[in-house]
Short mmCIF file of all heavy atoms in Angstrom, two decimals:
data_model
loop_
_atom_site.label_atom_id
_atom_site.label_comp_id
_atom_site.label_asym_id
_atom_site.label_seq_id
_atom_site.Cartn_x
_atom_site.Cartn_y
_atom_site.Cartn_z
N GLY A 23 -1.67 32.40 0.20
CA GLY A 23 -0.97 33.48 0.90
C GLY A 23 -1.87 34.49 1.57
O GLY A 23 -1.40 35.56 1.96
N ASP A 24 -3.14 34.21 1.73
CA ASP A 24 -4.06 35.15 2.38
C ASP A 24 -4.26 34.73 3.83
O ASP A 24 -5.26 34.10 4.19
CB ASP A 24 -5.39 35.17 1.63
CG ASP A 24 -6.24 36.39 2.00
OD1 ASP A 24 -5.94 37.03 3.03
OD2 ASP A 24 -7.19 36.69 1.26
N HIS A 25 -3.29 35.09 4.67
CA HIS A 25 -3.33 34.61 6.05
C HIS A 25 -4.44 35.26 6.86
O HIS A 25 -4.96 34.66 7.80
CB HIS A 25 -1.97 34.83 6.73
CG HIS A 25 -1.53 36.26 6.75
ND1 HIS A 25 -0.97 36.87 5.64
CD2 HIS A 25 -1.57 37.19 7.74
CE1 HIS A 25 -0.68 38.13 5.95
NE2 HIS A 25 -1.02 38.34 7.20
N TRP A 26 -4.83 36.51 6.51
CA TRP A 26 -5.92 37.15 7.24
C TRP A 26 -7.24 36.41 6.99
O TRP A 26 -8.04 36.22 7.91
CB TRP A 26 -6.04 38.61 6.84
CG TRP A 26 -4.89 39.45 7.28
CD1 TRP A 26 -4.01 40.13 6.49
CD2 TRP A 26 -4.46 39.67 8.63
NE1 TRP A 26 -3.05 40.77 7.25
CE2 TRP A 26 -3.31 40.50 8.57
CE3 TRP A 26 -4.91 39.25 9.87
CZ2 TRP A 26 -2.63 40.92 9.70
CZ3 TRP A 26 -4.23 39.67 11.01
CH2 TRP A 26 -3.10 40.50 10.92
N ALA A 27 -7.46 36.03 5.74
CA ALA A 27 -8.68 35.27 5.44
C ALA A 27 -8.67 33.93 6.17
O ALA A 27 -9.72 33.45 6.64
CB ALA A 27 -8.80 35.05 3.93
N ALA A 28 -7.49 33.32 6.29
CA ALA A 28 -7.40 32.04 7.01
C ALA A 28 -7.79 32.22 8.47
O ALA A 28 -8.52 31.39 9.03
CB ALA A 28 -5.98 31.49 6.91
N LEU A 29 -7.33 33.32 9.09
CA LEU A 29 -7.70 33.57 10.48
C LEU A 29 -9.20 33.82 10.62
O LEU A 29 -9.82 33.39 11.60
CB LEU A 29 -6.91 34.77 11.02
CG LEU A 29 -5.42 34.56 11.28
CD1 LEU A 29 -4.79 35.82 11.83
CD2 LEU A 29 -5.19 33.39 12.24
N ILE A 30 -9.77 34.53 9.66
CA ILE A 30 -11.21 34.80 9.72
C ILE A 30 -12.00 33.50 9.64
O ILE A 30 -12.97 33.29 10.37
CB ILE A 30 -11.62 35.77 8.59
CG1 ILE A 30 -11.03 37.15 8.86
CG2 ILE A 30 -13.14 35.85 8.47
CD1 ILE A 30 -11.25 38.15 7.74
N VAL A 31 -11.57 32.59 8.76
CA VAL A 31 -12.27 31.30 8.64
C VAL A 31 -12.13 30.51 9.94
O VAL A 31 -13.10 29.90 10.42
CB VAL A 31 -11.73 30.49 7.45
CG1 VAL A 31 -12.36 29.10 7.42
CG2 VAL A 31 -12.00 31.21 6.14
N VAL A 32 -10.93 30.52 10.53
CA VAL A 32 -10.74 29.83 11.80
C VAL A 32 -11.65 30.43 12.87
O VAL A 32 -12.25 29.71 13.68
CB VAL A 32 -9.26 29.90 12.24
CG1 VAL A 32 -9.11 29.35 13.66
CG2 VAL A 32 -8.39 29.12 11.28
N LEU A 33 -11.78 31.75 12.87
CA LEU A 33 -12.64 32.42 13.85
C LEU A 33 -14.10 32.07 13.64
O LEU A 33 -14.88 32.02 14.61
CB LEU A 33 -12.44 33.93 13.77
CG LEU A 33 -13.09 34.79 14.85
CD1 LEU A 33 -12.54 34.41 16.23
CD2 LEU A 33 -12.87 36.26 14.58
N MET A 34 -14.48 31.80 12.41
CA MET A 34 -15.87 31.45 12.12
C MET A 34 -16.24 30.06 12.66
O MET A 34 -17.42 29.80 12.91
CB MET A 34 -16.12 31.50 10.61
CG MET A 34 -16.11 32.90 10.03
SD MET A 34 -16.14 32.88 8.22
CE MET A 34 -17.71 32.06 7.93
N ILE A 35 -15.26 29.19 12.83
CA ILE A 35 -15.56 27.82 13.28
C ILE A 35 -16.16 27.82 14.68
O ILE A 35 -17.25 27.28 14.89
CB ILE A 35 -14.31 26.93 13.18
CG1 ILE A 35 -13.89 26.76 11.72
CG2 ILE A 35 -14.57 25.57 13.83
CD1 ILE A 35 -12.57 26.04 11.53
N PRO A 36 -15.49 28.42 15.70
CA PRO A 36 -16.13 28.44 17.03
C PRO A 36 -17.39 29.29 17.04
O PRO A 36 -18.31 29.02 17.82
CB PRO A 36 -15.05 29.01 17.95
CG PRO A 36 -14.15 29.78 17.05
CD PRO A 36 -14.14 29.03 15.75
N GLY A 37 -17.43 30.32 16.17
CA GLY A 37 -18.65 31.12 16.10
C GLY A 37 -19.83 30.28 15.64
O GLY A 37 -20.93 30.38 16.19
N GLY A 38 -19.60 29.43 14.63
CA GLY A 38 -20.66 28.54 14.17
C GLY A 38 -21.07 27.53 15.23
O GLY A 38 -22.26 27.25 15.41
N HIS A 39 -20.08 26.99 15.95
CA HIS A 39 -20.39 26.05 17.02
C HIS A 39 -21.21 26.72 18.12
O HIS A 39 -22.15 26.12 18.66
CB HIS A 39 -19.10 25.49 17.61
CG HIS A 39 -18.37 24.57 16.68
ND1 HIS A 39 -17.12 24.08 16.96
CD2 HIS A 39 -18.71 24.06 15.48
CE1 HIS A 39 -16.72 23.31 15.97
NE2 HIS A 39 -17.68 23.29 15.06
N ALA A 40 -20.84 27.97 18.46
CA ALA A 40 -21.56 28.69 19.51
C ALA A 40 -23.01 28.95 19.09
O ALA A 40 -23.94 28.79 19.90
CB ALA A 40 -20.86 30.01 19.83
N LEU A 41 -23.22 29.34 17.84
CA LEU A 41 -24.58 29.57 17.36
C LEU A 41 -25.40 28.28 17.36
O LEU A 41 -26.57 28.27 17.73
CB LEU A 41 -24.55 30.18 15.96
CG LEU A 41 -24.09 31.64 15.87
CD1 LEU A 41 -23.99 32.07 14.42
CD2 LEU A 41 -25.05 32.56 16.63
N ALA A 42 -24.77 27.18 16.93
CA ALA A 42 -25.47 25.89 16.91
C ALA A 42 -25.84 25.46 18.33
O ALA A 42 -26.95 24.97 18.57
CB ALA A 42 -24.61 24.83 16.23
N ASP A 43 -24.91 25.64 19.27
CA ASP A 43 -25.20 25.27 20.66
C ASP A 43 -26.31 26.14 21.24
O ASP A 43 -27.17 25.67 21.99
CB ASP A 43 -23.94 25.40 21.52
CG ASP A 43 -22.91 24.32 21.19
OD1 ASP A 43 -23.27 23.35 20.52
OD2 ASP A 43 -21.74 24.49 21.59
N TYR A 44 -26.28 27.44 20.88
CA TYR A 44 -27.32 28.36 21.38
C TYR A 44 -28.69 27.95 20.85
O TYR A 44 -29.67 27.90 21.60
CB TYR A 44 -26.98 29.78 20.96
CG TYR A 44 -28.05 30.79 21.30
CD1 TYR A 44 -28.23 31.23 22.61
CD2 TYR A 44 -28.90 31.29 20.31
CE1 TYR A 44 -29.22 32.16 22.93
CE2 TYR A 44 -29.89 32.21 20.63
CZ TYR A 44 -30.04 32.64 21.93
OH TYR A 44 -31.02 33.54 22.23
N ALA A 45 -28.75 27.65 19.55
CA ALA A 45 -30.03 27.24 18.95
C ALA A 45 -30.52 25.94 19.56
O ALA A 45 -31.72 25.78 19.83
CB ALA A 45 -29.87 27.10 17.43
N SER A 46 -29.60 24.99 19.78
CA SER A 46 -29.98 23.72 20.39
C SER A 46 -30.49 23.92 21.81
O SER A 46 -31.49 23.32 22.22
CB SER A 46 -28.79 22.76 20.37
OG SER A 46 -29.10 21.55 21.01
N HIS A 47 -29.81 24.80 22.56
CA HIS A 47 -30.23 25.08 23.93
C HIS A 47 -31.61 25.72 23.96
O HIS A 47 -32.47 25.36 24.78
CB HIS A 47 -29.21 25.99 24.61
CG HIS A 47 -29.60 26.44 25.99
ND1 HIS A 47 -29.56 25.60 27.08
CD2 HIS A 47 -30.08 27.62 26.45
CE1 HIS A 47 -29.97 26.25 28.15
NE2 HIS A 47 -30.30 27.48 27.79
N ARG A 48 -31.85 26.68 23.04
CA ARG A 48 -33.16 27.33 22.97
C ARG A 48 -34.25 26.32 22.63
O ARG A 48 -35.34 26.35 23.20
CB ARG A 48 -33.14 28.45 21.93
CG ARG A 48 -32.44 29.73 22.35
CD ARG A 48 -33.27 30.49 23.38
NE ARG A 48 -34.59 30.82 22.87
CZ ARG A 48 -34.87 31.90 22.16
NH1 ARG A 48 -33.90 32.75 21.87
NH2 ARG A 48 -36.12 32.14 21.77
N ALA A 49 -33.96 25.44 21.68
CA ALA A 49 -34.96 24.45 21.27
C ALA A 49 -35.28 23.52 22.43
O ALA A 49 -36.46 23.20 22.68
CB ALA A 49 -34.45 23.65 20.07
N ARG A 50 -34.24 23.07 23.16
CA ARG A 50 -34.49 22.19 24.31
C ARG A 50 -35.29 22.91 25.39
O ARG A 50 -36.18 22.32 26.01
CB ARG A 50 -33.17 21.68 24.87
CG ARG A 50 -32.50 20.60 24.05
CD ARG A 50 -31.42 19.88 24.84
NE ARG A 50 -30.39 20.80 25.28
CZ ARG A 50 -29.28 21.07 24.60
NH1 ARG A 50 -29.08 20.48 23.44
NH2 ARG A 50 -28.39 21.91 25.07
N ALA A 51 -34.96 24.19 25.63
CA ALA A 51 -35.66 24.94 26.66
C ALA A 51 -37.13 25.14 26.29
O ALA A 51 -38.02 25.00 27.14
CB ALA A 51 -34.99 26.31 26.86
N GLN A 52 -37.40 25.43 25.02
CA GLN A 52 -38.79 25.61 24.59
C GLN A 52 -39.56 24.31 24.65
O GLN A 52 -40.73 24.28 25.03
CB GLN A 52 -38.82 26.22 23.19
CG GLN A 52 -38.32 27.65 23.14
CD GLN A 52 -38.27 28.21 21.74
OE1 GLN A 52 -38.55 27.50 20.77
NE2 GLN A 52 -37.91 29.47 21.63
N LEU A 53 -38.91 23.22 24.26
CA LEU A 53 -39.57 21.92 24.35
C LEU A 53 -39.85 21.55 25.80
O LEU A 53 -40.93 21.03 26.12
CB LEU A 53 -38.70 20.85 23.68
CG LEU A 53 -39.26 19.43 23.68
CD1 LEU A 53 -40.61 19.38 22.97
CD2 LEU A 53 -38.28 18.46 23.03
N ARG A 54 -38.88 21.84 26.67
CA ARG A 54 -39.07 21.55 28.09
C ARG A 54 -40.21 22.38 28.66
O ARG A 54 -41.04 21.89 29.44
CB ARG A 54 -37.77 21.82 28.85
CG ARG A 54 -37.76 21.32 30.28
CD ARG A 54 -36.35 21.18 30.79
NE ARG A 54 -35.54 22.35 30.50
CZ ARG A 54 -34.47 22.35 29.71
NH1 ARG A 54 -34.11 21.22 29.11
NH2 ARG A 54 -33.77 23.45 29.49
N ALA A 55 -40.29 23.67 28.25
CA ALA A 55 -41.38 24.53 28.72
C ALA A 55 -42.73 24.02 28.22
O ALA A 55 -43.73 24.05 28.94
CB ALA A 55 -41.15 25.96 28.24
N LEU A 56 -42.75 23.55 26.97
CA LEU A 56 -44.00 23.00 26.42
C LEU A 56 -44.43 21.75 27.18
O LEU A 56 -45.61 21.57 27.50
CB LEU A 56 -43.81 22.69 24.94
CG LEU A 56 -45.03 22.16 24.18
CD1 LEU A 56 -46.16 23.19 24.23
CD2 LEU A 56 -44.66 21.82 22.75
N LEU A 57 -43.46 20.89 27.49
CA LEU A 57 -43.79 19.68 28.23
C LEU A 57 -44.24 19.99 29.65
O LEU A 57 -45.13 19.32 30.19
CB LEU A 57 -42.58 18.73 28.25
CG LEU A 57 -42.19 18.11 26.91
CD1 LEU A 57 -40.91 17.31 27.05
CD2 LEU A 57 -43.31 17.24 26.37
N ASP A 58 -43.62 21.03 30.25
CA ASP A 58 -44.01 21.41 31.60
C ASP A 58 -45.45 21.92 31.66
O ASP A 58 -46.11 21.83 32.70
CB ASP A 58 -43.06 22.48 32.15
CG ASP A 58 -41.68 21.92 32.45
OD1 ASP A 58 -41.56 20.69 32.57
OD2 ASP A 58 -40.73 22.72 32.55
N ARG A 59 -45.91 22.49 30.54
CA ARG A 59 -47.27 23.02 30.50
C ARG A 59 -48.30 21.97 30.12
O ARG A 59 -49.49 22.26 30.08
CB ARG A 59 -47.34 24.18 29.50
CG ARG A 59 -46.66 25.44 30.01
CD ARG A 59 -46.52 26.47 28.94
NE ARG A 59 -47.68 26.58 28.08
CZ ARG A 59 -47.66 27.09 26.87
NH1 ARG A 59 -46.51 27.49 26.36
NH2 ARG A 59 -48.76 27.20 26.16
N THR A 60 -47.85 20.78 29.79
CA THR A 60 -48.79 19.73 29.41
C THR A 60 -49.64 19.34 30.61
O THR A 60 -49.12 18.99 31.67
CB THR A 60 -48.03 18.49 28.90
OG1 THR A 60 -47.23 18.86 27.78
CG2 THR A 60 -49.00 17.40 28.49
N PRO A 61 -50.95 19.43 30.47
CA PRO A 61 -51.81 19.10 31.62
C PRO A 61 -51.76 17.61 31.95
O PRO A 61 -51.60 16.77 31.07
CB PRO A 61 -53.21 19.51 31.14
CG PRO A 61 -53.13 19.47 29.65
CD PRO A 61 -51.72 19.85 29.29
N THR A 62 -51.92 17.32 33.20
CA THR A 62 -51.95 15.92 33.66
C THR A 62 -53.36 15.49 34.03
O THR A 62 -53.60 14.31 34.23
CB THR A 62 -51.03 15.74 34.88
OG1 THR A 62 -51.44 16.63 35.92
CG2 THR A 62 -49.58 16.04 34.50
N VAL A 63 -54.28 16.47 34.12
CA VAL A 63 -55.66 16.19 34.50
C VAL A 63 -56.59 16.79 33.46
O VAL A 63 -56.34 17.89 32.94
CB VAL A 63 -55.99 16.77 35.89
CG1 VAL A 63 -57.47 16.60 36.22
CG2 VAL A 63 -55.13 16.10 36.95
N ALA A 64 -57.65 16.08 33.12
CA ALA A 64 -58.66 16.57 32.17
C ALA A 64 -60.02 16.56 32.85
O ALA A 64 -60.28 15.78 33.78
CB ALA A 64 -58.69 15.69 30.93
N HIS A 65 -60.91 17.48 32.38
CA HIS A 65 -62.27 17.55 32.91
C HIS A 65 -63.18 16.71 32.00
O HIS A 65 -63.54 17.15 30.90
CB HIS A 65 -62.76 18.99 32.96
CG HIS A 65 -61.79 19.94 33.61
ND1 HIS A 65 -61.31 19.75 34.89
CD2 HIS A 65 -61.18 21.06 33.14
CE1 HIS A 65 -60.47 20.73 35.20
NE2 HIS A 65 -60.38 21.53 34.15
N ARG A 66 -63.51 15.52 32.43
CA ARG A 66 -64.36 14.64 31.61
C ARG A 66 -65.82 14.84 31.99
O ARG A 66 -66.19 14.78 33.16
CB ARG A 66 -63.96 13.18 31.80
CG ARG A 66 -64.73 12.22 30.90
CD ARG A 66 -64.05 10.86 30.83
NE ARG A 66 -63.93 10.25 32.14
CZ ARG A 66 -63.21 9.14 32.38
NH1 ARG A 66 -62.53 8.57 31.39
NH2 ARG A 66 -63.13 8.64 33.60
N LEU A 67 -66.64 15.10 30.97
CA LEU A 67 -68.06 15.34 31.18
C LEU A 67 -68.80 14.03 31.42
O LEU A 67 -68.45 13.00 30.87
CB LEU A 67 -68.66 16.06 29.97
CG LEU A 67 -68.21 17.52 29.78
CD1 LEU A 67 -68.43 17.96 28.35
CD2 LEU A 67 -68.96 18.42 30.74
#
């Protein structure tokens, strides 16, 4: 009979999905930035 708690739990579901998507997007962006900085040429002595 705690309908307010039920609504709060329902509200937490998309909140959790949004946080997971944000973290995944940040991780992909950082990995992409790292790969973009990978040198393609080396100075061989």
Side-chain angles (χ1 to χ4, degrees):
D24 196 344
H25 59 281
W26 292 118
L29 289 181
I30 291 174
V31 175
V32 172
L33 189 61
M34 290 171 61
I35 295 173
H39 290 173
L41 288 175
D43 290 345
Y44 174 75
S46 177
H47 175 74
R48 283 288 302 273
R50 285 196 300 268
Q52 291 176 356
L53 180 59
R54 190 160 47 244
L56 182 61
L57 292 175
D58 289 342
R59 287 170 41 201
T60 301
T62 58
V63 174
H65 310 304
R66 184 164 59 190
L67 290 160

